[in-house]
Amino acid sequence: QKTPVRVAVTGAAGQIGYSLLFRIASGEMLGKDQPVILQLLELPMEKAQAALKGVMMELEDCAFPLLAGMVGTDDAEVAFKDADIALLVGARPRGPGMERKDLLLENAKIFTAQGAALNKVASRDVKVLVVGNPANTNAYIAMKSAPDLPAKNFTAMLRLDHNRALSQLANKAGVAVGDIEKLVVWGNHSPTMYPDYRFATVNGQSLKDKINDADWNANEFIPKVGKRGAAIIEARGLSSAASAANAAIDHIRDWVLGSNGKWVTMGVPSDGSYGIPEGVMYGVPVITANGEYTRVEGLEVDAFSRAAMDKTLAELEEERAGVAHLLG
Ligand code: NAX
């Protein structure tokens, strides 16, 4: 049997955690032959710890053959000890009357501490995915707080946006979602993101040939993908959870096991390409193989795309400026 992989998950007793942990333990993320050890972090409050205990009891009751061990804790250094993968899901939600800026700062505290804990105790190859919002900036903060770990190991989740866009395109074009390739979602995980299907193909043919509708693109498709999270809250009374967990599984599975030449979207620290300043945690198209991602380079940026990419960049730069004083 393979050596177990240590998977740390924060916010493990939350909504997304409840959809995520069982799929990780059943082998859907790392493969049906890969044992895992779950290292679960929750807030120290009694209620959170009790809820975590309940989730762990249910995990036990599934008798997953691949679940080789489990730890529940309120200490980040215990949760991240030797972690090979860290899914940072837990974050401070926006409370009533809380300003965006306060939310940013509250989360900055969490991700500074968690970045430092990863820096201290995680595997030197740890792959980090930040799901907790504001995901890109939280990932940036964790990366900056972990100077001994490679910056490329820190990523933010844009995959839910990517998957949402895929389904909208498949519906519009009347094609199978699995046949669409080469979609990109640029920028921040926020309504400013830019889903871009200029390069997309369906069974090798340009998708633009099937959907040649600039008005639909600008006034329906882009806003619909951007506001999908709000639409889910409106319909369900709760934010996206199962689809977010599914996207986290897709992100890590492709990063670890490879995307087989397909483009996927990951929020990664910019290398300066596409006019995005170095270090900004920005959604870009990547291909993954052998546990590494490689940016898709050299795509043309037309005027419409430049404006959309700069708009989401401006928001990220503003968020970054808002936490700069905390990062030294
Ligand atoms: P929940 O509020 O259901 O669960 C969050 C859990 O995290 C709670 O159990 C809480 O006790 C715990 N927690 C909070 N701070 C913590 C800390 N410092 N250390 C450890 N645990 C902590 O939220 P849920 O619906 O699970 O969403 C989690 C996060 O994902 C939110 O920030 C949410 O905004 C974000 N999302 C991100 C998405 C993305 O695509 N990047 C999409 C889905 C989701 O909205």
Side-chain angles (χ1 to χ4, degrees):
Q1 236 196 1
K2 289 183 170 177
T3 311
V5 168
R6 292 182 179 274
V7 181
V9 180
T10 75
Q15 281 208 90
I16 295 176
Y18 198 70
S19 290
L20 180 63
L21 298 175
F22 298 86
R23 295 186 61 190
I24 298 174
S26 72
E28 287 181 56
M29 186 170 81
L30 297 173
K32 296 284 182 188
D33 60 345
Q34 178 58 65
V36 293
I37 297 173
L38 290 175
Q39 307 188 159
L40 308 175
L41 184 70
E42 257 299 339
L43 290 173
M45 278 80 100
E46 208 174 309
K47 210 172 152 201
Q49 288 297 313
L52 176 57
K53 199 166 163 214
V55 173
M56 292 172 73
M57 286 160 68
E58 282 204 73
L59 281 161
E60 242 172 52
D61 294 349
C62 293
F64 288 120
L66 292 172
L67 186 54
M70 222 180 344
V71 182
T73 178
D74 63 3
D75 181 345
E77 289 188 17
V78 173
F80 298 152
K81 180 78 184 136
D82 299 327
D84 301 296
I85 289 164
L87 296 161
L88 308 187
V89 179
R92 176 80 192 268
R94 193 192 290 231
M98 202 170 167
E99 297 280 335
R100 215 177 107 93
K101 193 162 179 283
D102 302 328
L103 183 76
L104 197 65
L105 289 175
E106 286 303 317
N107 278 297
K109 285 185 213 156
I110 295 174
F111 287 85
T112 308
Q114 293 188 354
L118 285 163
N119 194 54
K120 194 165 164 196
V121 300
S123 158
R124 299 301 85 181
D125 298 321
V126 64
K127 288 180 161 60
V128 182
L129 169 62
V130 177
V131 175
N133 279 321
N136 296 52
T137 295
N138 288 343
Y140 174 80
I141 293 166
M143 173 183 84
K144 286 290 174 192
S145 306
D148 302 331
L149 295 172
K152 68 176 169 61
N153 292 16
F154 288 80
T155 65
M157 190 162 95
L158 269 295
R159 187 62 175 263
L160 180 54
D161 311 301
H162 183 101
N163 288 346
R164 284 167 171 167
L166 277 180
S167 282
Q168 295 301 325
L169 290 169
N171 284 341
K172 174 76 177 171
V175 300
V177 76
D179 290 340
I180 301 178
E181 291 192 37
K182 300 191 174 174
L183 172 71
V184 188
V185 181
W186 302 99
N188 198 6
H189 167 68
S190 95
T192 65
M193 79 188 79
Y194 170 41
D196 176 4
Y197 69 96
R198 291 176 302 138
F199 311 102
T201 61
V202 55
N203 293 322
Q205 266 194 302
S206 169
L207 189 59
K208 275 250 152 180
D209 293 347
K210 290 185 185 288
I211 316 175
N212 198 352
D213 187 340
D215 181 55
W216 177 81
N217 182 46
N219 299 316
E220 285 190 48
F221 173 63
I222 295 173
K224 191 164 190 180
V225 176
K227 293 180 194 153
R228 186 69 165 182
I232 302 283
I233 295 176
E234 170 94 18
R236 211 171 80 89
L238 290 167
S239 58
S240 331
S243 54
N246 179 68
I249 300 253
D250 283 353
H251 179 117
I252 296 289
R253 185 200 57 227
D254 287 343
W255 193 359
V256 173
L257 300 176
S259 67
N260 298 316
K262 290 194 174 185
W263 297 13
V264 292
T265 301
M266 289 170 71
V268 301
S270 178
D271 63 352
S273 55
Y274 296 116
I276 309 306
E278 211 171 323
V280 175
M281 200 60 76
Y282 196 94
V284 293
V286 299
I287 291 170
T288 53
N290 306 315
E292 302 286 342
Y293 60 81
T294 309
R295 249 178 222 80
V296 177
E297 304 278 5
L299 298 173
E300 187 208 326
V301 179
D302 61 16
F304 179 88
S305 302
R306 186 73 265 161
M309 288 164 74
D310 286 348
K311 182 175 166 202
T312 188
L313 172 64
E315 184 183 49
L316 279 170
E317 293 275 46
E318 192 188 313
E319 290 180 14
R320 185 159 81 153
V323 299
H325 63 288
L326 298 171
L327 298 174

